Each structure stands twice: as C-alpha cells, then as structure tokens.
Amino acid sequence: MIAPTLTTDRLTLRMHSADDFDAYAALFMSDLAKYMCRARDRQAAWYYFCADIAEWAFFGHGCWAIDLT
C-alpha cells in the first residue's frame, strides 16, 4: 500500500521519499528526539526511516512526512 497524501490549507501529510532522509536523520540524532526512538548514527536513522516507510506496505498505516504550506 502506498500512503495517501492528505492536504489542508496549512500542511500536507505525505509518504516519505529518499530526499527526506537527511532531514529525518538530523532530527532523529538530535536532542529534539529525546522522547522518540533516538538514532545513535545515520545507520540507525536509516533503519528507522525504512521501517517507517515499510509500515504502510505491511500494516496499511505508518508515518508521514509533514510539509507546511
């Protein structure tokens, strides 16, 4: 399953793309992620990134990328 894209006046929720990884890794390796599954390095961040995308195919739900408009 491919994640649906949801759009409102203020934001768009969409499936992650490969272009999102650098920002994703930076967030998950930062102190801002202290209440999430914090990645120790880019390899661990890649694991979480791939898992977030795979949830859509395996379970029909998962994480979205958020674009503010």
Side-chain angles (χ1 to χ4, degrees), residues 38-49:
R38 187 169 176 196
R40 302 168 303 283
D41 53 33
R42 284 182 65 84
Q43 184 174 355
W46 181 251
Y47 167 82
Y48 291 124
F49 185 76

Side-chain angles (χ1 to χ4, degrees), residues 1-5 15 56-57 60 64:
M1 171 182 197
I2 295 176
T5 298
M15 189 168 185
W56 285 104
W64 276 298

Side-chain angles (χ1 to χ4, degrees), residues 20-30 39 41-42 45-46 49:
D20 297 323
F21 179 67
D22 286 333
Y24 183 99
L27 172 64
F28 273 73
M29 292 187 300
S30 75
D41 53 33
R42 284 182 65 84
W46 181 251
F49 185 76

